[in-house]
Amino acid sequence: MTDLKIMKEKIEAYKKQIQESVANTSEQLEDFRLRFISRKGVLTDLFDEFKTVPNDQKRFFGSELNVLKQLAQDKFKDLVASLEEGNTKEEAAIDVTLPSLTSKGTIHPLSQVKNRIIQIFERQGFSVKDGPEIEDDFHNFTALNFPENHPAREMQDTYFIEKNPDVLLRTHTSNVQIRLMEHGKPPFRSIMPGRVYRNEAISARAHCFFNQVEGLYVDRNVSFKDLKQTLYHFSRELFGKGTQIRFRPSFFPFTEPSAEIDISCFICGGDGCKICKNTGWVEIGGSGMVDPNVLESCGIDSKEYSGFAFGMGIERIAMLKYQIGDIRLFSENDLRFLQQF
Ligand code: PHE
């Protein structure tokens, strides 16, 4: 009798489980099928037990089991139907014509500044040239007149990939000057934007990679006044008509004479502020007349030709232009920063 009582309890429990079953996913549907429909499921066990039910109870339990089996099959059909309907409902819920809630993409501030720089120089007759970021010692240093023991060749500045012969990540875009001149004939009038690498501690003001734009103009009778006028025009276009330009004597192995390029502070107009540290001037890059040794190492007759070159940091210019206080923001991909441009 106890067995029969247990069997009755089981039938009631399964009935309840079947009625309460839901299938929101095909996995849940499959679970239901395995438990109540398949030949290895619980109902098959019940039908096996039924064989041991005494004859006088067979009628009652037989009908109970058949009702249960029918219930399971009906429920299964319902679950299949509602899952399919749910899927189509979900598809219908996605309205592909609705405007997106996420923001539209914008052009990265560095690309915006770079594109503007390119535009200004293209209008002065400069073309845009590209060169490798992985470079050999010759194009990054030797051809640029770096003496053998120059400190910039040492490990603290340069990321070396291989030693002897040296392969390195270029430390400046001046390598493209060399690549341009060694394979061509003057005149050359190009700018060369690109990424450079230096083994420096990362901080708000310095990064181990950043972008530069190099400029080179080589022809007969190119003089310092051409350099001055080109950069003067550039500064006024980029920073505003009232911008003044100033050259401070400096040193680069590949230019002689060399000069640091300052522009009058476009925030305070030269009166002194935080950006220009109260000097009225901000530095934007380096420049100079191409050293005759550099021309000669590229097979160009330095008695016939002369030229000027300049190099500027694109991050630095973008930081000045938009008053960005931290160089790391350019490479962090923080949407809160990028969406402002
Ligand atoms: N290559 C120099 C630098 O990275 C910049 C520069 C380029 C200076 C061309 C003068 C002429 O600092």
Side-chain angles (χ1 to χ4, degrees):
M1 267 325 265
T2 8
D3 279 350
L4 289 181
K5 205 177 157 216
I6 291 172
M7 195 164 168
K8 183 121 193 6
E9 278 170 11
K10 272 193 198 165
I11 291 172
E12 288 307 318
Y14 290 155
K15 210 184 262 178
K16 204 160 171 253
Q17 284 175 20
I18 290 168
Q19 280 162 345
E20 290 172 358
S21 286
V22 284
N24 293 321
T25 64
S26 45
E27 287 78 23
Q28 286 173 330
L29 183 69
E30 180 61 2
D31 288 346
F32 182 92
R33 194 189 67 78
L34 288 174
R35 184 163 169 77
F36 295 114
I37 308 289
S38 98
R39 283 152 137 276
K40 290 185 184 140
V42 289
L43 297 195
T44 307
D45 293 343
L46 272 186
F47 276 98
D48 282 346
E49 278 178 47
F50 174 72
K51 288 175 197 151
T52 65
V53 168
N55 278 343
D56 62 337
Q57 299 286 328
K58 272 216 153 78
R59 212 182 130 94
F60 172 74
F61 277 99
S63 117
E64 284 287 292
L65 281 181
N66 280 332
V67 168
L68 187 65
K69 190 177 171 187
Q70 192 60 46
L71 183 73
Q73 284 171 348
D74 289 348
K75 181 72 179 185
F76 185 65
K77 273 190 211 149
D78 285 353
L79 291 179
V80 171
S82 68
L83 187 64
E84 275 171 6
E85 195 188 330
N87 283 345
T88 46
K89 255 196 206 148
E90 210 168 280
E91 278 163 26
I94 301 169
D95 181 353
V96 292
T97 64
L98 275 179
S100 153
L101 290 178
T102 54
S103 68
K104 274 201 295 180
T106 53
I107 297 176
H108 194 281
L110 276 184
S111 299
Q112 290 189 32
V113 170
K114 184 181 81 178
N115 292 344
R116 179 76 182 114
I117 293 172
I118 290 174
Q119 186 187 47
I120 296 170
F121 282 109
E122 274 182 342
R123 287 178 182 169
Q124 296 193 77
F126 286 79
S127 61
V128 179
K129 291 285 189 294
D130 202 6
E133 293 179 21
I134 297 175
E135 194 48 286
D136 52 32
D137 176 275
F138 177 78
H139 292 89
N140 197 80
F141 292 130
T142 305
L144 285 156
N145 199 33
F146 276 80
E148 205 55 64
N149 53 359
H150 195 281
R153 290 181 181 226
E154 309 239 312
M155 294 296 275
Q156 72 265 26
D157 291 321
T158 309
Y159 285 115
F160 288 95
I161 294 173
E162 276 167 29
K163 287 295 263 172
N164 288 325
D166 290 353
V167 179
L168 45 91
L169 294 178
R170 67 175 175 193
T171 57
H172 51 183
T173 41
S174 305
N175 67 323
V176 195
Q177 273 190 41
I178 303 302
R179 291 199 169 267
L180 196 62
M181 290 194 285
E182 71 182 348
H183 295 305
K185 277 202 169 81
F188 301 103
R189 195 193 271 215
S190 297
I191 55 163
M192 308 138 218
R195 185 176 270 196
V196 303
Y197 302 83
R198 288 193 197 169
N199 193 355
E200 290 196 32
I202 298 171
S203 70
R205 300 183 61 81
H207 212 299
C208 58
F209 58 78
F210 54 98
N211 290 271
Q212 285 188 333
V213 55
E214 187 94 356
L216 176 74
Y217 179 29
V218 176
D219 203 346
R220 292 190 179 88
N221 301 319
V222 176
S223 73
F224 203 95
K225 71 172 192 275
D226 299 307
L227 168 64
K228 225 173 147 178
Q229 179 57 35
T230 303
L231 291 174
Y232 182 51
H233 175 79
F234 164 76
S235 309
R236 282 161 51 97
E237 286 293 304
L238 193 66
F239 294 106
K241 283 275 172 276
T243 308
Q244 295 297 305
I245 192 164
R246 170 175 97 166
F247 289 85
R248 261 182 304 117
S250 185
F251 172 80
F252 300 103
F254 35 91
T255 46
E256 181 60 37
S258 304
E260 223 84 54
I261 315 156
D262 291 347
I263 56 163
S264 58
C265 182
F266 55 96
I267 304 293
C268 62
D271 295 341
C273 68
K274 236 177 79 187
I275 300 284
C276 62
K277 299 199 195 80
N278 283 319
T279 63
W281 296 92
V282 285
E283 185 195 317
I284 60 163
S287 65
M289 299 307 293
V290 181
D291 194 292
N293 286 345
V294 175
L295 295 173
E296 296 293 339
S297 70
C298 295
I300 294 166
D301 184 351
S302 62
K303 295 204 175 58
E304 193 179 349
Y305 292 100
S306 56
F308 68 72
F310 58 85
M312 297 181 272
I314 300 181
E315 280 82 351
R316 168 137 184 92
I317 289 178
M319 286 169 83
L320 288 170
K321 198 168 159 59
Y322 297 121
Q323 293 174 53
I324 298 165
D326 193 325
I327 195 172
R328 292 170 290 199
L329 286 166
F330 291 117
S331 48
E332 279 170 354
N333 277 341
D334 187 333
L335 280 182
R336 291 167 302 179
F337 170 69
L338 296 174
Q339 274 166 349
Q340 298 174 64
F341 299 93

